[in-house]
Every structure is written in structure tokens, then in C-alpha cells.
Amino acid sequence: VGKGRRRGWEEAEVRSRRAREEGKVELNLSSLSLLTLPELSLLLPLLEHLDLSNNKLPSFPDELWGMQALRWLNLSGNMIEGVGRGYSDARRQLGLYRCEEIDLSSNRLQDWPIFLSNLPNLQTLVLSGNPLGKPTEDGLARFTSLKELGLGAGLTSDSVLACLQSCPALESLTLEHNGIGSTEWMLAAEHLLSQSQDSQGGDVEETRTAGSEEAIQRSAGRADPNLILSWKAISSMCWVRKLNLSRNELSRLPKVFSKFTALEDLNLSSNLLTCVPEFDLPALKKLDLSHNLIFDLQGIEQHLHSIEVLNLSWNKLVSLPSFDLQDEGSCSRLSALQDLDLSSNAIKDIRAVAMCPVLERLFFKNNPVCSPPKDVLDGGLPFIQNWVRTNRQTIMQEYDRKQKQEEEEKKKLHDLEMEARYQKLLQELADDDDND
């Protein structure tokens, strides 16, 4: 371990010296097992971008307060528990006043870093993966310029709720890797929703069966009060424009997010979704559904009619919906889609989706695409679009035949199910007669 740290320190000094000699404004000292920083005094007036991630730093380094040009700072993956001993109000006022983004994720912070609140230009603060406790009542309200906040655990009290609501400029919220899709979280979300419906009165059915009432009471008894408060805090931030819910084990999207009517950018990547979530988010322009288990896109156009950027890479897609082609050969749905990523699926036919009217970029590598032909695919999107327009009538006839076959198969399956139920009913009646 000692040799590894010594080598890391030596490498840090070499990189720092090289950056100083070449007059660089960026310095990467990540993953060097650093406990302290090398000599950076001659670099302080120059550095704008500093990466200190994945080291062993125990506290927020005092040297950083002298960096008046620094705009981007990454301290994620260290062992930081708080501010350094040399910190003072004077240092705070002098240093880092130009800094716009600080990443402190995956450290050991138990107290909210209020020592950063006086940085006038700080717009992005990432705190995910820290064992944060309760902030002071006005803790987050001091971050008056903050636009993006990344949180792990921590949204578990009314005081946090009050603080979040008082961040006047907040536009983006990151809640990745929190286990929001777990049974405990989803149960708390359902309980909060039932509370909200009960408070609205008219939106809830006047009569409930005894069984449904009993189920609600059981869920209320099992729901974690802290998680209910967490959901209350999350749902209260419905004004944000960007939301990151990646790596949360989500198999469906909780209904509390239907309140996020201003949302423009939603990241649901690396979850457990098997279909495109049903939601009504009228402002949504960008949606990341990559690295899920989605195998069916049926009805996608009903929920994503205003989407402009859609990432469906690394899913389980085998086929795409057979969208209608208009007279000019354009797809009649997904009319706003400009950027579509279908990489790393099992799709064989991309003809119809390639004809979305304003589509500019289409990615489909690592798919066994056989239609259109390879020579057309090699020409890129314009060639594909021209080929589809030329062969529109043939394609439509093929889609019609395929649709009829699917309908016939569904009818056969339905008939088989009905026959099985009928035979089961006859068997039950025969058993009753035998018992009599």
C-alpha cells in the first residue's frame, strides 16, 4: 500500500509539473491514492478544471481555497468528512469564487457542505452517496445560484423538504442509485398517493370495498415514514426541468412524477423497465431509457409525441411498431423525434421508424438489421429514407399482411384460452357431481 501511494504521489507531481510547464488549465490527478495534494501554488492562478476523484483525501483540501480561476472541481470517491482544519471565512471569501461545478459524491459527508454556500457562481453540486444528516432549516436556501443538485440518501425529513423548496434557481435534480424502485420505496409512494387522493376528496371514488380499505390500511402500516417524507420532498420539486433517476431498480415509474409538468429531460437508464412508462409530461424533450429490459414499444407514440431525443440502446427490442406511412412516405407518429438511438438490441427491421418526419440522427449498430438491405444501410439515414419512399407501397402491403397475421394469431390464442376455461369449468362441474 505504501509503495502504491508513493508511486501515486510521484505521478501526481509529474503531472502537476508538466501542466505548469505547458501552461495547461486542466489537471487530472484522479485514482492516485493521494492523502494530500502535491505542490500546486504555481498552478493556482491558472487551473480552471481539476479532477481529484477516487483518491484517499480525508477532508476538503485547504489548497483549493487559493484557486481563484477554478470553474470545475471533482472530488468524488474520496474519504472527505468535512472541511479542512485551515478553513476560515477569509479563505472562503477569497477562493473558488468562480467555481461553477463541484462533485463531492461518494464521500463520507455527514453534514451538508454549507461551507460552499457563499460561492456566488456555484451552479452544480453533486452529493450523492454520502451519509448526509439533516441540514439546518435554511441550509440549502443559502445556495442561491444552485441550478443542479445531485443527492443520494438525505431526503428523509421535513427540514430537507423545506430546504429544497427554498432553492430558488434549482432546475436539475439527480437521484441516481437510491433504490427508489425497491418494494419499500414503492410502498411509500403508493401511500403518499392515497393520502393525496383522500385530501382531494372528489378525485377519489366515494365508495370503496371493505377489501380495498383494508389493503390501504395494511400499506399504511408497512410504509416507512421516512420514505414517505422522501417522496413528499421529491414530488414537491415538480418545477425542475431535468431529472436523473438512473440505477434505481425501477420496474415502473411512480405516479408522483406525473406532477413534473415542466420536465424536459428525464434519465431512466440502467433500471428494470420492460416497456416505455405511461406518463403525460407535455414538456418532455429528451428521454434516456438505455440499459433496461424493454422488449415492446407498442403505444410509444401516445406518450412520447413531443419527444426530440430518445435513447433505447441496450434493451431487449426485437421489432419496432409498424407505424403508418403517409403519402409522402413519412411516419405519421413521433413527429418531433430528431435523435434516436437503437444500438445494441435485436432489431431486424428499421424501415418505418427511419421515416419519422424530422429525424436527423439514427443509431442502430449492434443490431441484426436485414431491412433495408445492407447497401442501403451503409449509405446512412438519407439513403434509408429515400429507399423507403421509393418502396412505400410494397412496405405498406407487407405491414398490412403482418398486421392481419398478428390479429389472426391473437384470435387463435384467445379461442384457445376460452376453450381451456370452458374445459376447466366442465371438469369442475363434473367433480361437483361426483362429490354429490
Side-chain angles (χ1 to χ4, degrees), residues 57-118:
L57 299 172
S59 62
F60 195 92
D62 293 329
E63 296 90 337
L64 300 181
W65 297 110
M67 295 186 171
Q68 299 183 13
L70 199 66
R71 297 181 182 275
W72 185 91
L73 174 62
N74 189 350
L75 285 164
S76 64
N78 278 278
M79 304 170 70
I80 296 173
E81 296 182 356
V83 69
R85 294 181 179 179
Y87 169 75
S88 67
D89 287 343
R91 286 177 181 268
R92 179 179 62 185
Q93 296 296 336
L94 289 173
L96 295 178
Y97 70 90
R98 290 184 180 175
C99 199
E100 299 174 358
E101 180 173 345
I102 297 179
D103 189 343
L104 282 165
S105 61
S106 301
N107 277 281
R108 298 180 179 179
L109 289 171
Q110 296 185 25
D111 297 323
W112 293 65
I114 305 303
F115 60 89
L116 300 174
S117 61
N118 278 18

Short mmCIF file of all heavy atoms in Angstrom, two decimals, residues 57-118:
data_model
loop_
_atom_site.label_atom_id
_atom_site.label_comp_id
_atom_site.label_asym_id
_atom_site.label_seq_id
_atom_site.Cartn_x
_atom_site.Cartn_y
_atom_site.Cartn_z
N LEU A 57 -8.38 11.37 -0.01
CA LEU A 57 -8.37 12.65 0.69
C LEU A 57 -9.36 12.63 1.84
O LEU A 57 -10.54 12.34 1.65
CB LEU A 57 -8.73 13.78 -0.28
CG LEU A 57 -7.76 13.97 -1.46
CD1 LEU A 57 -8.33 14.99 -2.44
CD2 LEU A 57 -6.39 14.39 -0.97
N PRO A 58 -8.91 12.96 3.09
CA PRO A 58 -9.80 12.87 4.24
C PRO A 58 -10.65 14.11 4.49
O PRO A 58 -11.61 14.06 5.26
CB PRO A 58 -8.82 12.67 5.40
CG PRO A 58 -7.59 13.38 4.97
CD PRO A 58 -7.52 13.23 3.48
N SER A 59 -10.29 15.22 3.87
CA SER A 59 -11.04 16.46 4.08
C SER A 59 -10.95 17.32 2.83
O SER A 59 -10.14 17.06 1.93
CB SER A 59 -10.50 17.23 5.29
OG SER A 59 -9.16 17.60 5.08
N PHE A 60 -11.79 18.34 2.77
CA PHE A 60 -11.75 19.28 1.64
C PHE A 60 -10.41 20.01 1.70
O PHE A 60 -10.13 20.74 2.65
CB PHE A 60 -12.91 20.27 1.78
CG PHE A 60 -13.19 21.04 0.52
CD1 PHE A 60 -14.12 20.59 -0.41
CD2 PHE A 60 -12.53 22.23 0.25
CE1 PHE A 60 -14.39 21.30 -1.57
CE2 PHE A 60 -12.79 22.95 -0.89
CZ PHE A 60 -13.72 22.48 -1.81
N PRO A 61 -9.54 19.84 0.68
CA PRO A 61 -8.17 20.36 0.75
C PRO A 61 -8.12 21.88 0.91
O PRO A 61 -8.78 22.61 0.18
CB PRO A 61 -7.55 19.93 -0.58
CG PRO A 61 -8.37 18.75 -1.01
CD PRO A 61 -9.76 19.06 -0.55
N ASP A 62 -7.31 22.35 1.88
CA ASP A 62 -7.17 23.79 2.10
C ASP A 62 -6.59 24.50 0.88
O ASP A 62 -6.90 25.67 0.62
CB ASP A 62 -6.26 24.04 3.30
CG ASP A 62 -6.90 23.58 4.60
OD1 ASP A 62 -8.14 23.64 4.69
OD2 ASP A 62 -6.17 23.18 5.52
N GLU A 63 -5.73 23.79 0.12
CA GLU A 63 -5.08 24.42 -1.03
C GLU A 63 -6.09 24.94 -2.06
O GLU A 63 -5.80 25.88 -2.81
CB GLU A 63 -4.14 23.42 -1.72
CG GLU A 63 -2.96 22.97 -0.87
CD GLU A 63 -3.28 21.74 -0.05
OE1 GLU A 63 -4.47 21.49 0.22
OE2 GLU A 63 -2.34 21.03 0.33
N LEU A 64 -7.25 24.32 -2.10
CA LEU A 64 -8.23 24.69 -3.13
C LEU A 64 -8.77 26.09 -2.95
O LEU A 64 -9.23 26.72 -3.91
CB LEU A 64 -9.39 23.69 -3.13
CG LEU A 64 -9.02 22.23 -3.41
CD1 LEU A 64 -10.27 21.36 -3.40
CD2 LEU A 64 -8.29 22.10 -4.73
N TRP A 65 -8.73 26.60 -1.72
CA TRP A 65 -9.29 27.93 -1.48
C TRP A 65 -8.46 29.03 -2.14
O TRP A 65 -8.92 30.17 -2.22
CB TRP A 65 -9.42 28.19 0.02
CG TRP A 65 -10.38 27.24 0.67
CD1 TRP A 65 -10.09 26.23 1.52
CD2 TRP A 65 -11.79 27.20 0.48
NE1 TRP A 65 -11.22 25.55 1.89
CE2 TRP A 65 -12.29 26.13 1.26
CE3 TRP A 65 -12.69 27.96 -0.27
CZ2 TRP A 65 -13.64 25.79 1.31
CZ3 TRP A 65 -14.04 27.62 -0.22
CH2 TRP A 65 -14.49 26.56 0.56
N GLY A 66 -7.27 28.70 -2.63
CA GLY A 66 -6.47 29.70 -3.33
C GLY A 66 -6.67 29.70 -4.83
O GLY A 66 -6.05 30.48 -5.54
N MET A 67 -7.53 28.83 -5.33
CA MET A 67 -7.71 28.70 -6.77
C MET A 67 -8.84 29.61 -7.26
O MET A 67 -9.99 29.23 -7.31
CB MET A 67 -8.02 27.23 -7.13
CG MET A 67 -6.86 26.30 -6.83
SD MET A 67 -7.17 24.62 -7.41
CE MET A 67 -5.54 23.90 -7.15
N GLN A 68 -8.45 30.80 -7.62
CA GLN A 68 -9.44 31.80 -7.99
C GLN A 68 -9.96 31.64 -9.41
O GLN A 68 -10.98 32.24 -9.76
CB GLN A 68 -8.86 33.20 -7.80
CG GLN A 68 -8.48 33.47 -6.36
CD GLN A 68 -7.97 34.88 -6.14
OE1 GLN A 68 -8.13 35.73 -7.00
NE2 GLN A 68 -7.37 35.14 -4.98
N ALA A 69 -9.27 30.85 -10.24
CA ALA A 69 -9.72 30.65 -11.62
C ALA A 69 -10.51 29.36 -11.81
O ALA A 69 -11.11 29.14 -12.87
CB ALA A 69 -8.53 30.65 -12.57
N LEU A 70 -10.54 28.51 -10.78
CA LEU A 70 -11.14 27.19 -10.92
C LEU A 70 -12.65 27.27 -11.16
O LEU A 70 -13.36 27.97 -10.45
CB LEU A 70 -10.88 26.36 -9.65
CG LEU A 70 -11.03 24.85 -9.79
CD1 LEU A 70 -9.96 24.30 -10.72
CD2 LEU A 70 -10.92 24.18 -8.42
N ARG A 71 -13.11 26.52 -12.18
CA ARG A 71 -14.53 26.52 -12.53
C ARG A 71 -15.16 25.13 -12.31
O ARG A 71 -16.36 25.04 -12.06
CB ARG A 71 -14.74 26.94 -13.98
CG ARG A 71 -14.29 28.37 -14.27
CD ARG A 71 -14.54 28.74 -15.72
NE ARG A 71 -14.07 30.08 -16.01
CZ ARG A 71 -14.80 31.19 -15.80
NH1 ARG A 71 -16.02 31.08 -15.30
NH2 ARG A 71 -14.31 32.38 -16.08
N TRP A 72 -14.36 24.06 -12.43
CA TRP A 72 -14.89 22.69 -12.34
C TRP A 72 -14.00 21.89 -11.41
O TRP A 72 -12.79 21.83 -11.59
CB TRP A 72 -14.91 22.06 -13.72
CG TRP A 72 -15.53 20.70 -13.81
CD1 TRP A 72 -16.84 20.41 -14.06
CD2 TRP A 72 -14.87 19.44 -13.66
NE1 TRP A 72 -17.03 19.05 -14.07
CE2 TRP A 72 -15.84 18.42 -13.82
CE3 TRP A 72 -13.55 19.07 -13.39
CZ2 TRP A 72 -15.53 17.07 -13.74
CZ3 TRP A 72 -13.24 17.71 -13.30
CH2 TRP A 72 -14.22 16.74 -13.48
N LEU A 73 -14.59 21.25 -10.38
CA LEU A 73 -13.83 20.52 -9.38
C LEU A 73 -14.51 19.18 -9.10
O LEU A 73 -15.69 19.13 -8.73
CB LEU A 73 -13.73 21.34 -8.09
CG LEU A 73 -13.09 20.65 -6.87
CD1 LEU A 73 -11.64 20.28 -7.16
CD2 LEU A 73 -13.17 21.57 -5.65
N ASN A 74 -13.76 18.08 -9.26
CA ASN A 74 -14.28 16.74 -9.00
C ASN A 74 -13.52 16.13 -7.83
O ASN A 74 -12.33 15.83 -7.92
CB ASN A 74 -14.15 15.86 -10.24
CG ASN A 74 -14.86 14.53 -10.09
OD1 ASN A 74 -15.30 14.16 -9.00
ND2 ASN A 74 -14.99 13.79 -11.18
N LEU A 75 -14.24 15.94 -6.70
CA LEU A 75 -13.67 15.32 -5.51
C LEU A 75 -14.42 14.03 -5.16
O LEU A 75 -14.36 13.57 -4.02
CB LEU A 75 -13.75 16.29 -4.33
CG LEU A 75 -12.74 17.44 -4.32
CD1 LEU A 75 -13.16 18.52 -3.35
CD2 LEU A 75 -11.34 16.93 -3.98
N SER A 76 -15.11 13.45 -6.11
CA SER A 76 -15.91 12.25 -5.84
C SER A 76 -15.01 11.06 -5.52
O SER A 76 -13.85 10.99 -5.92
CB SER A 76 -16.78 11.92 -7.06
OG SER A 76 -15.98 11.60 -8.18
N GLY A 77 -15.56 10.11 -4.75
CA GLY A 77 -14.85 8.88 -4.47
C GLY A 77 -13.64 9.03 -3.56
O GLY A 77 -12.68 8.26 -3.66
N ASN A 78 -13.68 10.01 -2.65
CA ASN A 78 -12.62 10.17 -1.65
C ASN A 78 -13.14 9.74 -0.28
O ASN A 78 -14.11 8.99 -0.19
CB ASN A 78 -12.11 11.61 -1.65
CG ASN A 78 -11.10 11.87 -2.76
OD1 ASN A 78 -9.92 11.56 -2.62
ND2 ASN A 78 -11.57 12.43 -3.87
N MET A 79 -12.52 10.23 0.78
CA MET A 79 -12.93 9.89 2.15
C MET A 79 -13.22 11.17 2.93
O MET A 79 -13.02 11.25 4.15
CB MET A 79 -11.82 9.08 2.83
CG MET A 79 -11.44 7.82 2.05
SD MET A 79 -9.95 7.00 2.66
CE MET A 79 -10.54 6.39 4.22
N ILE A 80 -13.70 12.18 2.23
CA ILE A 80 -13.90 13.50 2.82
C ILE A 80 -15.06 13.48 3.82
O ILE A 80 -16.16 13.06 3.50
CB ILE A 80 -14.17 14.53 1.70
CG1 ILE A 80 -12.94 14.66 0.81
CG2 ILE A 80 -14.55 15.89 2.28
CD1 ILE A 80 -13.14 15.52 -0.42
N GLU A 81 -14.76 13.96 5.02
CA GLU A 81 -15.78 14.03 6.07
C GLU A 81 -16.23 15.47 6.33
O GLU A 81 -17.27 15.68 6.95
CB GLU A 81 -15.22 13.43 7.36
CG GLU A 81 -14.90 11.94 7.23
CD GLU A 81 -14.40 11.35 8.54
OE1 GLU A 81 -14.23 12.13 9.50
OE2 GLU A 81 -14.18 10.13 8.59
N GLY A 82 -15.43 16.42 5.90
CA GLY A 82 -15.80 17.82 6.11
C GLY A 82 -14.72 18.73 5.58
O GLY A 82 -13.85 18.32 4.81
N VAL A 83 -14.77 19.98 6.03
CA VAL A 83 -13.81 20.97 5.59
C VAL A 83 -12.51 20.80 6.36
O VAL A 83 -12.49 20.29 7.48
CB VAL A 83 -14.40 22.38 5.79
CG1 VAL A 83 -14.49 22.71 7.27
CG2 VAL A 83 -13.59 23.43 5.06
N GLY A 84 -11.38 21.21 5.75
CA GLY A 84 -10.08 21.08 6.39
C GLY A 84 -9.90 22.01 7.58
O GLY A 84 -10.64 22.97 7.76
N ARG A 85 -8.89 21.72 8.39
CA ARG A 85 -8.66 22.50 9.60
C ARG A 85 -8.25 23.93 9.30
O ARG A 85 -8.47 24.83 10.11
CB ARG A 85 -7.58 21.84 10.45
CG ARG A 85 -8.00 20.48 11.03
CD ARG A 85 -6.91 19.89 11.87
NE ARG A 85 -7.31 18.62 12.44
CZ ARG A 85 -6.52 17.87 13.22
NH1 ARG A 85 -5.29 18.29 13.50
NH2 ARG A 85 -6.95 16.72 13.70
N GLY A 86 -7.62 24.15 8.15
CA GLY A 86 -7.15 25.50 7.82
C GLY A 86 -8.22 26.39 7.23
O GLY A 86 -7.95 27.54 6.86
N TYR A 87 -9.43 25.88 7.13
CA TYR A 87 -10.52 26.65 6.55
C TYR A 87 -10.89 27.83 7.44
O TYR A 87 -10.92 27.74 8.66
CB TYR A 87 -11.74 25.75 6.37
CG TYR A 87 -13.01 26.48 6.01
CD1 TYR A 87 -13.20 26.96 4.74
CD2 TYR A 87 -14.00 26.66 6.97
CE1 TYR A 87 -14.36 27.61 4.41
CE2 TYR A 87 -15.17 27.31 6.65
CZ TYR A 87 -15.35 27.79 5.36
OH TYR A 87 -16.51 28.45 5.05
N SER A 88 -11.17 28.97 6.80
CA SER A 88 -11.61 30.16 7.54
C SER A 88 -12.51 30.97 6.64
O SER A 88 -12.56 30.78 5.42
CB SER A 88 -10.41 31.00 7.98
OG SER A 88 -9.77 31.57 6.84
N ASP A 89 -13.23 31.91 7.21
CA ASP A 89 -14.11 32.77 6.42
C ASP A 89 -13.32 33.56 5.38
O ASP A 89 -13.78 33.79 4.27
CB ASP A 89 -14.87 33.73 7.32
CG ASP A 89 -15.95 33.01 8.11
OD1 ASP A 89 -16.30 31.88 7.71
OD2 ASP A 89 -16.41 33.56 9.12
N ALA A 90 -12.09 33.95 5.75
CA ALA A 90 -11.26 34.71 4.80
C ALA A 90 -10.94 33.87 3.58
O ALA A 90 -11.04 34.33 2.44
CB ALA A 90 -9.98 35.16 5.49
N ARG A 91 -10.53 32.59 3.83
CA ARG A 91 -10.24 31.70 2.71
C ARG A 91 -11.48 31.49 1.85
O ARG A 91 -11.41 31.47 0.62
CB ARG A 91 -9.74 30.34 3.22
CG ARG A 91 -8.33 30.37 3.78
CD ARG A 91 -7.96 29.01 4.33
NE ARG A 91 -6.62 29.00 4.88
CZ ARG A 91 -5.54 28.68 4.20
NH1 ARG A 91 -5.64 28.35 2.94
NH2 ARG A 91 -4.36 28.68 4.77
N ARG A 92 -12.60 31.33 2.50
CA ARG A 92 -13.83 31.07 1.77
C ARG A 92 -14.18 32.24 0.85
O ARG A 92 -14.61 32.06 -0.27
CB ARG A 92 -14.98 30.84 2.76
CG ARG A 92 -16.32 30.59 2.10
CD ARG A 92 -17.40 30.34 3.10
NE ARG A 92 -17.61 31.50 3.95
CZ ARG A 92 -18.44 31.53 4.98
NH1 ARG A 92 -19.12 30.45 5.30
NH2 ARG A 92 -18.58 32.61 5.70
N GLN A 93 -13.94 33.47 1.32
CA GLN A 93 -14.29 34.64 0.53
C GLN A 93 -13.33 34.82 -0.65
O GLN A 93 -13.72 35.30 -1.70
CB GLN A 93 -14.27 35.89 1.42
CG GLN A 93 -15.31 35.89 2.52
CD GLN A 93 -16.72 35.90 1.98
OE1 GLN A 93 -16.97 36.34 0.86
NE2 GLN A 93 -17.66 35.38 2.77
N LEU A 94 -12.06 34.41 -0.46
CA LEU A 94 -11.05 34.65 -1.49
C LEU A 94 -11.06 33.59 -2.59
O LEU A 94 -10.90 33.89 -3.76
CB LEU A 94 -9.66 34.70 -0.85
CG LEU A 94 -9.35 35.93 0.01
CD1 LEU A 94 -8.02 35.75 0.70
CD2 LEU A 94 -9.34 37.19 -0.85
N GLY A 95 -11.21 32.31 -2.20
CA GLY A 95 -11.02 31.23 -3.16
C GLY A 95 -12.30 30.66 -3.73
O GLY A 95 -13.37 30.78 -3.14
N LEU A 96 -12.16 30.04 -4.91
CA LEU A 96 -13.24 29.30 -5.56
C LEU A 96 -14.44 30.16 -5.93
O LEU A 96 -15.52 29.63 -6.19
CB LEU A 96 -13.71 28.14 -4.66
CG LEU A 96 -12.69 27.03 -4.38
CD1 LEU A 96 -13.30 25.99 -3.43
CD2 LEU A 96 -12.25 26.35 -5.67
N TYR A 97 -14.29 31.47 -5.94
CA TYR A 97 -15.47 32.31 -6.20
C TYR A 97 -15.95 32.21 -7.65
O TYR A 97 -17.08 32.59 -7.95
CB TYR A 97 -15.19 33.77 -5.82
CG TYR A 97 -14.23 34.51 -6.72
CD1 TYR A 97 -14.67 35.20 -7.85
CD2 TYR A 97 -12.87 34.51 -6.44
CE1 TYR A 97 -13.78 35.87 -8.66
CE2 TYR A 97 -11.98 35.19 -7.25
CZ TYR A 97 -12.44 35.87 -8.36
OH TYR A 97 -11.56 36.53 -9.17
N ARG A 98 -15.12 31.65 -8.54
CA ARG A 98 -15.56 31.45 -9.93
C ARG A 98 -16.07 30.03 -10.18
O ARG A 98 -16.55 29.73 -11.27
CB ARG A 98 -14.41 31.74 -10.89
CG ARG A 98 -14.03 33.20 -10.99
CD ARG A 98 -12.96 33.40 -12.05
NE ARG A 98 -12.57 34.81 -12.14
CZ ARG A 98 -11.59 35.27 -12.91
NH1 ARG A 98 -10.88 34.40 -13.65
NH2 ARG A 98 -11.30 36.55 -12.95
N CYS A 99 -15.95 29.17 -9.19
CA CYS A 99 -16.28 27.76 -9.38
C CYS A 99 -17.78 27.59 -9.68
O CYS A 99 -18.63 28.12 -8.96
CB CYS A 99 -15.90 26.95 -8.15
SG CYS A 99 -15.76 25.19 -8.48
N GLU A 100 -18.07 26.82 -10.73
CA GLU A 100 -19.45 26.61 -11.17
C GLU A 100 -19.97 25.20 -10.86
O GLU A 100 -21.17 25.00 -10.73
CB GLU A 100 -19.56 26.86 -12.68
CG GLU A 100 -19.19 28.28 -13.09
CD GLU A 100 -19.17 28.46 -14.58
OE1 GLU A 100 -19.41 27.46 -15.31
OE2 GLU A 100 -18.90 29.58 -15.05
N GLU A 101 -19.05 24.21 -10.75
CA GLU A 101 -19.49 22.83 -10.55
C GLU A 101 -18.54 22.11 -9.60
O GLU A 101 -17.33 22.10 -9.80
CB GLU A 101 -19.54 22.09 -11.89
CG GLU A 101 -19.98 20.64 -11.78
CD GLU A 101 -20.18 19.97 -13.13
OE1 GLU A 101 -20.26 20.69 -14.14
OE2 GLU A 101 -20.24 18.73 -13.16
N ILE A 102 -19.11 21.49 -8.55
CA ILE A 102 -18.33 20.72 -7.58
C ILE A 102 -19.01 19.37 -7.37
O ILE A 102 -20.20 19.30 -7.06
CB ILE A 102 -18.21 21.44 -6.23
CG1 ILE A 102 -17.44 22.77 -6.41
CG2 ILE A 102 -17.49 20.58 -5.21
CD1 ILE A 102 -17.30 23.57 -5.13
N ASP A 103 -18.24 18.30 -7.53
CA ASP A 103 -18.74 16.93 -7.33
C ASP A 103 -18.12 16.36 -6.07
O ASP A 103 -16.91 16.11 -6.02
CB ASP A 103 -18.41 16.07 -8.55
CG ASP A 103 -19.08 14.70 -8.50
OD1 ASP A 103 -19.54 14.31 -7.41
OD2 ASP A 103 -19.15 14.03 -9.55
N LEU A 104 -18.94 16.14 -5.04
CA LEU A 104 -18.50 15.55 -3.78
C LEU A 104 -19.17 14.20 -3.53
O LEU A 104 -19.28 13.76 -2.38
CB LEU A 104 -18.81 16.50 -2.62
CG LEU A 104 -17.86 17.69 -2.43
CD1 LEU A 104 -18.48 18.73 -1.51
CD2 LEU A 104 -16.51 17.23 -1.90
N SER A 105 -19.62 13.55 -4.58
CA SER A 105 -20.34 12.29 -4.43
C SER A 105 -19.42 11.18 -3.90
O SER A 105 -18.21 11.23 -4.07
CB SER A 105 -20.96 11.86 -5.77
OG SER A 105 -19.95 11.66 -6.74
N SER A 106 -20.04 10.20 -3.24
CA SER A 106 -19.34 9.01 -2.73
C SER A 106 -18.17 9.38 -1.82
O SER A 106 -17.03 8.93 -1.98
CB SER A 106 -18.83 8.14 -3.90
OG SER A 106 -19.90 7.72 -4.70
N ASN A 107 -18.45 10.22 -0.83
CA ASN A 107 -17.51 10.53 0.23
C ASN A 107 -18.12 10.12 1.57
O ASN A 107 -18.97 9.23 1.61
CB ASN A 107 -17.14 12.02 0.20
CG ASN A 107 -16.03 12.31 -0.80
OD1 ASN A 107 -14.86 12.08 -0.54
ND2 ASN A 107 -16.42 12.83 -1.97
N ARG A 108 -17.72 10.78 2.65
CA ARG A 108 -18.21 10.43 3.98
C ARG A 108 -18.85 11.63 4.67
O ARG A 108 -18.82 11.74 5.90
CB ARG A 108 -17.07 9.87 4.83
CG ARG A 108 -16.47 8.58 4.27
CD ARG A 108 -15.34 8.06 5.13
NE ARG A 108 -14.80 6.81 4.60
CZ ARG A 108 -13.79 6.14 5.16
NH1 ARG A 108 -13.21 6.62 6.26
NH2 ARG A 108 -13.33 5.02 4.63
N LEU A 109 -19.40 12.52 3.89
CA LEU A 109 -20.01 13.73 4.45
C LEU A 109 -21.26 13.38 5.25
O LEU A 109 -22.19 12.78 4.72
CB LEU A 109 -20.38 14.69 3.33
CG LEU A 109 -19.23 15.40 2.60
CD1 LEU A 109 -19.76 16.14 1.38
CD2 LEU A 109 -18.51 16.35 3.53
N GLN A 110 -21.28 13.76 6.50
CA GLN A 110 -22.47 13.61 7.33
C GLN A 110 -23.20 14.93 7.49
O GLN A 110 -24.41 14.96 7.70
CB GLN A 110 -22.09 13.05 8.70
CG GLN A 110 -21.49 11.65 8.63
CD GLN A 110 -21.22 11.07 10.00
OE1 GLN A 110 -21.86 11.45 10.99
NE2 GLN A 110 -20.29 10.14 10.08
N ASP A 111 -22.46 16.02 7.40
CA ASP A 111 -23.05 17.35 7.47
C ASP A 111 -23.10 17.95 6.07
O ASP A 111 -22.18 17.75 5.27
CB ASP A 111 -22.21 18.27 8.38
CG ASP A 111 -22.17 17.77 9.82
OD1 ASP A 111 -23.21 17.26 10.28
OD2 ASP A 111 -21.10 17.87 10.46
N TRP A 112 -24.16 18.66 5.78
CA TRP A 112 -24.28 19.31 4.48
C TRP A 112 -23.20 20.37 4.33
O TRP A 112 -22.92 21.12 5.28
CB TRP A 112 -25.68 19.93 4.34
CG TRP A 112 -26.74 18.88 4.27
CD1 TRP A 112 -27.09 18.01 5.25
CD2 TRP A 112 -27.56 18.58 3.16
NE1 TRP A 112 -28.09 17.17 4.82
CE2 TRP A 112 -28.40 17.50 3.53
CE3 TRP A 112 -27.68 19.10 1.88
CZ2 TRP A 112 -29.33 16.95 2.68
CZ3 TRP A 112 -28.62 18.55 1.02
CH2 TRP A 112 -29.43 17.49 1.41
N PRO A 113 -22.54 20.46 3.16
CA PRO A 113 -21.38 21.35 2.99
C PRO A 113 -21.79 22.82 2.86
O PRO A 113 -21.65 23.45 1.82
CB PRO A 113 -20.75 20.83 1.69
CG PRO A 113 -21.90 20.27 0.92
CD PRO A 113 -22.83 19.69 1.95
N ILE A 114 -22.28 23.35 3.98
CA ILE A 114 -22.71 24.75 3.99
C ILE A 114 -21.53 25.67 3.73
O ILE A 114 -21.70 26.82 3.30
CB ILE A 114 -23.39 25.09 5.34
CG1 ILE A 114 -24.53 24.11 5.60
CG2 ILE A 114 -23.92 26.51 5.34
CD1 ILE A 114 -25.58 24.06 4.51
N PHE A 115 -20.29 25.18 3.96
CA PHE A 115 -19.11 26.00 3.73
C PHE A 115 -18.94 26.37 2.25
O PHE A 115 -18.13 27.22 1.92
CB PHE A 115 -17.85 25.29 4.25
CG PHE A 115 -17.56 23.96 3.62
CD1 PHE A 115 -16.80 23.86 2.47
CD2 PHE A 115 -18.05 22.79 4.19
CE1 PHE A 115 -16.53 22.63 1.90
CE2 PHE A 115 -17.78 21.56 3.63
CZ PHE A 115 -17.02 21.47 2.48
N LEU A 116 -19.71 25.74 1.37
CA LEU A 116 -19.66 26.09 -0.05
C LEU A 116 -20.77 27.05 -0.46
O LEU A 116 -20.83 27.47 -1.61
CB LEU A 116 -19.77 24.82 -0.91
CG LEU A 116 -18.69 23.75 -0.71
CD1 LEU A 116 -19.04 22.51 -1.53
CD2 LEU A 116 -17.32 24.29 -1.12
N SER A 117 -21.64 27.40 0.47
CA SER A 117 -22.86 28.13 0.10
C SER A 117 -22.60 29.57 -0.32
O SER A 117 -23.44 30.18 -0.96
CB SER A 117 -23.85 28.11 1.27
OG SER A 117 -23.30 28.75 2.41
N ASN A 118 -21.42 30.14 0.05
CA ASN A 118 -21.15 31.52 -0.31
C ASN A 118 -20.43 31.67 -1.64
O ASN A 118 -19.99 32.76 -1.99
CB ASN A 118 -20.32 32.20 0.79
CG ASN A 118 -21.19 32.67 1.94
OD1 ASN A 118 -22.33 32.22 2.08
ND2 ASN A 118 -20.67 33.57 2.75
#
